[in-house]
Amino acid sequence: MSKHGTVKKAVLAYSGGLDTSIIVRWLIEEYGCEVIAFSADLGQGQELDGIPEKARKTGASKCYVEDLREEFVRDFVFPMFRANAIYEGRYFLGTSIARPLISKKQMEIALAEEADAVCHGATGKGNDQVRFELAYYHFNPEIKIIAPWREWDLNSREALIAYANKHGIPVPVTKKRPWSSDRNLLHISFEGGILENPWAEPPEEMYLLSVAPEEAPDKPEYVEIEFRNGDPVAINGQALSPAQLLAHLNELGGKHGIGRADIMENRFVGMKSRGVYETPGGTILEEAHRGVEQITMDREVLNLRDSLIPRYATMVYNGFWFAPEREAMQALTDETQKTVNGVARVKLYKGHCRVVGRKSDTNSLFDPEVATFEADEVYNQADAEGFIRLNALRLRIRSAMQKKRG
Amino acid sequence: MSKHGTVKKAVLAYSGGLDTSIIVRWLIEEYGCEVIAFSADLGQGQELDGIPEKARKTGASKCYVEDLREEFVRDFVFPMFRANAIYEGRYFLGTSIARPLISKKQMEIALAEEADAVCHGATGKGNDQVRFELAYYHFNPEIKIIAPWREWDLNSREALIAYANKHGIPVPVTKKRPWSSDRNLLHISFEGGILENPWAEPPEEMYLLSVAPEEAPDKPEYVEIEFRNGDPVAINGQALSPAQLLAHLNELGGKHGIGRADIMENRFVGMKSRGVYETPGGTILEEAHRGVEQITMDREVLNLRDSLIPRYATMVYNGFWFAPEREAMQALTDETQKTVNGVARVKLYKGHCRVVGRKSDTNSLFDPEVATFEADEVYNQADAEGFIRLNALRLRIRSAMQKKRG
Amino acid sequence: MSKHGTVKKAVLAYSGGLDTSIIVRWLIEEYGCEVIAFSADLGQGQELDGIPEKARKTGASKCYVEDLREEFVRDFVFPMFRANAIYEGRYFLGTSIARPLISKKQMEIALAEEADAVCHGATGKGNDQVRFELAYYHFNPEIKIIAPWREWDLNSREALIAYANKHGIPVPVTKKRPWSSDRNLLHISFEGGILENPWAEPPEEMYLLSVAPEEAPDKPEYVEIEFRNGDPVAINGQALSPAQLLAHLNELGGKHGIGRADIMENRFVGMKSRGVYETPGGTILEEAHRGVEQITMDREVLNLRDSLIPRYATMVYNGFWFAPEREAMQALTDETQKTVNGVARVKLYKGHCRVVGRKSDTNSLFDPEVATFEADEVYNQADAEGFIRLNALRLRIRSAMQKKRG
Amino acid sequence: MSKHGTVKKAVLAYSGGLDTSIIVRWLIEEYGCEVIAFSADLGQGQELDGIPEKARKTGASKCYVEDLREEFVRDFVFPMFRANAIYEGRYFLGTSIARPLISKKQMEIALAEEADAVCHGATGKGNDQVRFELAYYHFNPEIKIIAPWREWDLNSREALIAYANKHGIPVPVTKKRPWSSDRNLLHISFEGGILENPWAEPPEEMYLLSVAPEEAPDKPEYVEIEFRNGDPVAINGQALSPAQLLAHLNELGGKHGIGRADIMENRFVGMKSRGVYETPGGTILEEAHRGVEQITMDREVLNLRDSLIPRYATMVYNGFWFAPEREAMQALTDETQKTVNGVARVKLYKGHCRVVGRKSDTNSLFDPEVATFEADEVYNQADAEGFIRLNALRLRIRSAMQKKRG
């Protein structure tokens, strides 16, 4: 038994990179436990084929690799986009929304494997540890959670490499890039390192999913996206599965340099942090979704939903996906999306996209035939006088009484 | 005395165009009253020099022309931008924010002139009538308001021209453009006519304040904007007055094709309407303002303020500027802006702008020296465990009890 | 054809009182139309048996009388109470929630009878006209609406009596009470007349549903109310239908002088108005509902729902029941109520009620067995340190930087 | 130097009870530091005269006793009551609002005494530790905080008594009551012990500030409370200082059995907890304040403020008083209170209070003279038609289009 308490079997969220490779070994050394590796394919575009061998070589007794791309987009990304959730006005929550799904599968494996612990490679200063662990606890409130970065003393790259060398863990020969990043089908994020100077523009070579706007085609491209119940279902008339659709939008957006964001954001743990993001498809998606909403959604519904965006987005950012308050908000959101059926036409050009047309055969509240109503049946200009006078009444009384009292 | 009731003297919001020229005459014919014209310079870029003569020729007894540009930007545009007010996620409220100021000056003239009525040229289907009249009533709850478009039967261009010809009012020879527009220092709007097909992209020749992104310079341009208490005060180190500053940003934005928005919006009177806008300077301003907020504003303050944006924006859109609820919201907003001091660096390129750097000497909450604190003084990674465990507690109890009950 | 436009058949919301009796005749005289009377039993406790004869004697061609009590409580009152909707912190919306149902039935009759108009007896200064008409328009956006109080010149009691006498309509001999009132199974309201002095306490003889607290029993009474999915289903262990249950609570509340409220409220049409209400059963219901929520509802869900109460209540007050924004809010509300299963014990005494016990076999989040968890499994006091330190972090950084800068 | 790290001088929030007496000694034993005791008089009604001697006898080198009653009510209670802050719809935040002031004074003493640590006696499961420590950190982000209950192993009453006996600390002979409580000028709270059964009614002998409603006078009493800028300034025409006024209302409320609340509340640390409260004066105050607001506050201002109550109340409950988000909210609140000038008349009777009259000479928006306006100047019933028709427009269009599409 180790100093850390008894653990028999741990399921580790494993990427195959240096850090999680070291964690496999460290778990064995420190906890003396069996380690089961788990890698999720969320569209990070990384080769996962060799992963199981790699995991086993480093000491894992088993390795699960699961393709979660469709589930990710269908059950996590799309519900969130129905809510137009954007954190602090700028961040599309690409990393935040992935963590709950990874945790869910990891806990399913833990259950199947009768593991008594789960483990992740997130640091103690970030948001991801919270997101992972809130989800773990949701599925099993008594699970033992191991967060090596909060426990060990391998707090520098040098220490990690020394540990790897000592334990025969292969260290990648490529030089580490001066920032860290996280990628999936919705986005790639960059943070840390040279980005910690908030006044310095990020270097062009950092970006992976999009060309520089300056390098994008000189001719705009138009794309038509069809929505049903608030979810995108087809591009330019072609039906696509959720993951296919988002992948296709990523290609389009990346080609046109769309979806870069450079922000200072506020972490749940209480500090500000610089984050740079590429969300090519998601950026197009949000613009198109708003376009269809504009023509199909009632004014007051839109206002109500919009006023809740900061709250919904904060829930996702902070890791409260599997939480009753998020579910309540989702119920409202999904109710508002029942009418969001239609097509948006979006212009893509040099780093930016903009809706230039929208239509809905079934749910437009701007059907041109409204105009064929008899004028006085639907809109009588004289009505506006009474409308204004009663809207003004409380202000008029207030002014009149102020005046009277001097 | 006319059929419309007794009016002795009316102050008219006068533009010099065909419609308000006809209104001068119509007021005299129908109400038998003296008409005083009032034209406000809000930076609409239109020649106002000949206005007084034109007004008098059409029958006005007097004409006021006032340059309100500085007041407009300082006391209306900037307070609104402190709140990051955007209507329905897309519209920068360029027309909405101008109406209260016009009304305020119009009412000052009415008071000075002892006029018993005020008159505007807004139609009975739009928002502007509401904005004008709510402000009129605020300043004098007993004022008589004349809204000719809700009263007369000149409901077609033909009828208007016939009326003009009959009364010797000169009709512009230029062909009317197939949309209507409103311009000031913050924006130009387009609506109606061919724009009423929400699927059709607006024609390029419509735009006035910005070149097409495709025609913008091939090289990006960077601009640094300094803010004090949430208001922009200098560009690239040069202090500028509010109106000068906004005009300069308009130039920059216009040159790079920035600030076009094409939306379906929900009018206060209850209908959806297509609006196309150019807000070149305002778009840069909002992006830069958010940039400085990101580094100077507390997380919870930002969240609180952001959650109120839809409500604040709706107040302005609906015309409730001179209203106690807007003042209460402004008090909160201004309190949040006390720390918003710093500089944002914005990249302008081909129709889009993006913050790429931000700093604050006085109010950064990301001062790099924070890092020099002893690690355990400010951030102990072990703290995260307790933080997560207590944030998870209510969810753990819930899951545990659900489990126990099956 | 009359001066008011062509109407062939109108359905009138008919009470049998003087006003709506006169309206029957006035419709015939002014519109020359057939009049169908409709009286809804919402538990106003008034004899409806003689209504059809009375209606026909006054000129109606037909009279519908419908018992809507169960539908009223089940589909209108209970959904609203799930949301804990209280207008301006004090008003239980007893009148507001009745109008949509009356309108719905009236429109069903209009459809069945192929009537081309509907008519109500609400005045032009109040909220009820809005509530009726918004609902009418929802069911048929082209319906012709007749609101006699906004049209006729019978603007005094004398004029009404003269009109009645002229047309042989029997005038009640009882002296009119110096206020008006509206009653149903949820409440009775009083307004107008002597109540218009907001400093004067209402006279004791006004109250109808409750004894004066001073006259209530000297011994408290306890009642246990069981909720399922947020709706009350049983009292003291006895299952009751919605209307039976509310009627029983009214008896209990009335006996103990519970549920009186005396407020100045803000009408949708823009004026303040004094309203006095008796809501005996509803007051107990809200208290009990909160009691069960306290033990079954998650903290963040409660906070989210509570922050929406003013908005939900305003929707109901203003008449937007059949509106998509209310439906979206209801979806959220109903989601939050899935766990609201349990029993509250309420003490009733001399004008007041208070929860003194609550329990839930199925959804308590305070199950005493939680204590049997190993202490360190569920709550480790040391966790609090990290929790506090990270919650404090943003405030500490702020203070530190302020200090450093002086 | 002790195992806990170096501390030279600690300022302890000291009550003179057994727990904090033990803490004095424990600090000396464990930290080897000088201990300065600090007792705040917040109106807890306890004898503070002997405190300094007691503190010194137990080992404290010095003892500060400060009368903070006026500052407490003026700068903490009243600003919070301006916001009508009530946590989870029922709790008047009596304990929550006291902690920031105690912390503030404690930190002032720490500064004056050049102490390097502060210490409190709150447990690791409650809210108070958070409230104390967030405030400590606000005043000095680097302060060393000692929370003995999270550190020591004296986790039972027996262990505490043994420790006391060992160190010669006098143990009170009175039997400990089976609950814990906290008292100040705003309230007394009870929690823990026998209250942990949420189904059991608290015993009558527990209550300290109010008689049982059953024992209250059989005759109602009326009280008139005058407000200026939202703060109460006089009772029955007599001006009183903040603390005097609240004390007087406590007497009145206590005499009539007013202000008891029995709730299950959600702690910030994540658990539900039963709390029973007596807030006699505060309950009357909130009712009276709402009364004056009803007649002086604009409808939209009221709605805006009310929708923020849950958020403001949560800030106070969670301990974020000295936080920029609370200050922003206060700015809004105080702006809304500028017009809240007037008098409310409240009826007190057997456990309950209710406004029965309200007036304002300076800010009524229900001035009876409004009625003397010409009818058509201020309210024309015909205006209501247009008002309703345009409010209905979006719903009519929606229904019409749904109908058309079947």
Side-chain angles (χ1 to χ4, degrees), chain D residues 91-115:
Chain D
Y91 169 38
F92 280 105
L93 295 161
T95 294
S96 323
I97 192 62
R99 299 323 189 193
L101 175 54
I102 296 172
S103 303
K104 177 174 175 253
K105 290 294 161 182
Q106 196 174 349
M107 291 303 290
E108 286 172 11
I109 293 169
L111 188 67
E113 292 282 349
E114 298 184 346

Short mmCIF file of all heavy atoms in Angstrom, two decimals, chain D residues 91-115:
data_model
loop_
_atom_site.label_atom_id
_atom_site.label_comp_id
_atom_site.label_asym_id
_atom_site.label_seq_id
_atom_site.Cartn_x
_atom_site.Cartn_y
_atom_site.Cartn_z
N TYR D 91 -34.96 33.87 3.99
CA TYR D 91 -33.99 34.17 5.06
C TYR D 91 -33.45 35.61 4.92
O TYR D 91 -32.93 35.99 3.89
CB TYR D 91 -32.84 33.16 5.01
CG TYR D 91 -31.64 33.48 5.87
CD1 TYR D 91 -31.78 34.05 7.14
CD2 TYR D 91 -30.35 33.20 5.43
CE1 TYR D 91 -30.66 34.34 7.91
CE2 TYR D 91 -29.24 33.49 6.20
CZ TYR D 91 -29.40 34.07 7.44
OH TYR D 91 -28.30 34.37 8.20
N PHE D 92 -33.56 36.35 6.03
CA PHE D 92 -33.20 37.78 6.00
C PHE D 92 -31.71 38.05 6.19
O PHE D 92 -31.32 39.20 6.39
CB PHE D 92 -34.00 38.53 7.08
CG PHE D 92 -35.40 38.85 6.66
CD1 PHE D 92 -36.48 38.14 7.15
CD2 PHE D 92 -35.63 39.86 5.74
CE1 PHE D 92 -37.77 38.44 6.76
CE2 PHE D 92 -36.93 40.18 5.35
CZ PHE D 92 -38.00 39.46 5.85
N LEU D 93 -30.90 37.02 6.18
CA LEU D 93 -29.44 37.18 6.10
C LEU D 93 -28.82 37.83 7.33
O LEU D 93 -27.77 38.49 7.24
CB LEU D 93 -29.08 37.98 4.84
CG LEU D 93 -29.43 37.28 3.52
CD1 LEU D 93 -29.48 38.28 2.37
CD2 LEU D 93 -28.41 36.20 3.21
N GLY D 94 -29.45 37.62 8.46
CA GLY D 94 -28.99 38.27 9.68
C GLY D 94 -27.57 37.91 10.10
O GLY D 94 -26.81 38.77 10.54
N THR D 95 -27.18 36.66 9.96
CA THR D 95 -25.80 36.28 10.29
C THR D 95 -24.84 36.69 9.19
O THR D 95 -23.76 37.24 9.45
CB THR D 95 -25.71 34.76 10.53
OG1 THR D 95 -26.48 34.42 11.69
CG2 THR D 95 -24.27 34.32 10.74
N SER D 96 -25.27 36.45 7.96
CA SER D 96 -24.39 36.72 6.82
C SER D 96 -23.90 38.16 6.80
O SER D 96 -22.74 38.43 6.51
CB SER D 96 -25.16 36.47 5.50
OG SER D 96 -26.03 35.37 5.61
N ILE D 97 -24.80 39.09 7.12
CA ILE D 97 -24.44 40.51 6.98
C ILE D 97 -23.55 40.99 8.12
O ILE D 97 -22.89 42.03 8.01
CB ILE D 97 -25.73 41.36 6.87
CG1 ILE D 97 -25.40 42.79 6.43
CG2 ILE D 97 -26.51 41.40 8.19
CD1 ILE D 97 -24.78 42.89 5.08
N ALA D 98 -23.52 40.23 9.21
CA ALA D 98 -22.68 40.65 10.34
C ALA D 98 -21.21 40.30 10.15
O ALA D 98 -20.32 41.00 10.64
CB ALA D 98 -23.19 39.99 11.62
N ARG D 99 -20.95 39.22 9.44
CA ARG D 99 -19.56 38.73 9.34
C ARG D 99 -18.62 39.72 8.68
O ARG D 99 -17.48 39.90 9.15
CB ARG D 99 -19.53 37.39 8.60
CG ARG D 99 -20.32 36.26 9.28
CD ARG D 99 -20.23 36.29 10.74
NE ARG D 99 -20.78 35.12 11.41
CZ ARG D 99 -21.00 35.08 12.71
NH1 ARG D 99 -20.77 36.15 13.48
NH2 ARG D 99 -21.49 33.99 13.26
N PRO D 100 -19.02 40.37 7.59
CA PRO D 100 -18.07 41.30 6.95
C PRO D 100 -17.64 42.43 7.89
O PRO D 100 -16.48 42.83 7.88
CB PRO D 100 -18.86 41.85 5.76
CG PRO D 100 -19.88 40.81 5.47
CD PRO D 100 -20.24 40.19 6.78
N LEU D 101 -18.55 42.91 8.72
CA LEU D 101 -18.18 44.00 9.61
C LEU D 101 -17.21 43.52 10.69
O LEU D 101 -16.22 44.19 11.00
CB LEU D 101 -19.44 44.61 10.24
CG LEU D 101 -19.19 45.69 11.29
CD1 LEU D 101 -18.31 46.81 10.76
CD2 LEU D 101 -20.52 46.26 11.80
N ILE D 102 -17.50 42.37 11.28
CA ILE D 102 -16.57 41.83 12.27
C ILE D 102 -15.19 41.67 11.65
O ILE D 102 -14.17 42.09 12.22
CB ILE D 102 -17.09 40.46 12.80
CG1 ILE D 102 -18.42 40.66 13.53
CG2 ILE D 102 -16.06 39.79 13.70
CD1 ILE D 102 -19.11 39.36 13.92
N SER D 103 -15.15 41.11 10.44
CA SER D 103 -13.86 40.90 9.77
C SER D 103 -13.14 42.22 9.52
O SER D 103 -11.92 42.31 9.66
CB SER D 103 -14.09 40.18 8.44
OG SER D 103 -14.75 38.97 8.63
N LYS D 104 -13.90 43.20 9.12
CA LYS D 104 -13.30 44.51 8.81
C LYS D 104 -12.61 45.08 10.05
O LYS D 104 -11.44 45.50 9.99
CB LYS D 104 -14.42 45.46 8.35
CG LYS D 104 -14.00 46.88 8.06
CD LYS D 104 -15.17 47.68 7.46
CE LYS D 104 -14.83 49.15 7.27
NZ LYS D 104 -15.49 50.03 8.25
N LYS D 105 -13.31 45.06 11.17
CA LYS D 105 -12.71 45.60 12.40
C LYS D 105 -11.53 44.75 12.85
O LYS D 105 -10.52 45.26 13.32
CB LYS D 105 -13.76 45.65 13.51
CG LYS D 105 -14.84 46.68 13.28
CD LYS D 105 -14.28 48.10 13.33
CE LYS D 105 -15.25 49.06 12.63
NZ LYS D 105 -14.74 50.44 12.61
N GLN D 106 -11.69 43.44 12.70
CA GLN D 106 -10.61 42.55 13.10
C GLN D 106 -9.35 42.83 12.30
O GLN D 106 -8.24 42.84 12.84
CB GLN D 106 -11.10 41.11 12.85
CG GLN D 106 -10.30 40.03 13.54
CD GLN D 106 -10.93 38.65 13.36
OE1 GLN D 106 -12.08 38.55 12.89
NE2 GLN D 106 -10.21 37.62 13.73
N MET D 107 -9.53 43.12 11.02
CA MET D 107 -8.37 43.41 10.18
C MET D 107 -7.79 44.79 10.50
O MET D 107 -6.58 45.00 10.36
CB MET D 107 -8.76 43.32 8.70
CG MET D 107 -9.07 41.91 8.23
SD MET D 107 -7.70 40.73 8.48
CE MET D 107 -6.52 41.34 7.26
N GLU D 108 -8.63 45.72 10.92
CA GLU D 108 -8.11 47.02 11.35
C GLU D 108 -7.22 46.85 12.59
O GLU D 108 -6.16 47.46 12.70
CB GLU D 108 -9.26 47.99 11.65
CG GLU D 108 -9.95 48.50 10.39
CD GLU D 108 -11.22 49.31 10.69
OE1 GLU D 108 -11.44 49.64 11.88
OE2 GLU D 108 -11.97 49.58 9.74
N ILE D 109 -7.69 46.02 13.52
CA ILE D 109 -6.89 45.75 14.71
C ILE D 109 -5.60 45.03 14.34
O ILE D 109 -4.52 45.36 14.84
CB ILE D 109 -7.73 44.93 15.72
CG1 ILE D 109 -8.89 45.80 16.23
CG2 ILE D 109 -6.86 44.43 16.87
CD1 ILE D 109 -9.94 45.03 17.01
N ALA D 110 -5.72 44.07 13.42
CA ALA D 110 -4.52 43.34 13.00
C ALA D 110 -3.49 44.31 12.42
O ALA D 110 -2.28 44.19 12.68
CB ALA D 110 -4.89 42.27 11.97
N LEU D 111 -3.97 45.25 11.66
CA LEU D 111 -3.07 46.24 11.06
C LEU D 111 -2.43 47.10 12.15
O LEU D 111 -1.20 47.28 12.19
CB LEU D 111 -3.86 47.13 10.08
CG LEU D 111 -3.05 48.09 9.23
CD1 LEU D 111 -2.17 47.34 8.24
CD2 LEU D 111 -3.98 49.05 8.46
N ALA D 112 -3.28 47.62 13.06
CA ALA D 112 -2.78 48.48 14.12
C ALA D 112 -1.80 47.73 15.02
O ALA D 112 -0.80 48.29 15.49
CB ALA D 112 -3.95 49.02 14.94
N GLU D 113 -2.10 46.47 15.25
CA GLU D 113 -1.27 45.68 16.16
C GLU D 113 -0.11 44.98 15.45
O GLU D 113 0.65 44.24 16.06
CB GLU D 113 -2.15 44.60 16.84
CG GLU D 113 -3.17 45.15 17.81
CD GLU D 113 -2.52 45.53 19.14
OE1 GLU D 113 -1.35 45.17 19.35
OE2 GLU D 113 -3.20 46.19 19.96
N GLU D 114 -0.02 45.18 14.18
CA GLU D 114 0.99 44.48 13.38
C GLU D 114 0.95 42.98 13.60
O GLU D 114 1.98 42.30 13.64
CB GLU D 114 2.39 45.05 13.67
CG GLU D 114 2.47 46.52 13.30
CD GLU D 114 3.86 47.11 13.46
OE1 GLU D 114 4.71 46.45 14.10
OE2 GLU D 114 4.09 48.21 12.94
N ALA D 115 -0.28 42.47 13.68
CA ALA D 115 -0.45 41.02 13.80
C ALA D 115 -0.25 40.38 12.43
O ALA D 115 -0.53 41.00 11.40
CB ALA D 115 -1.86 40.71 14.32
#
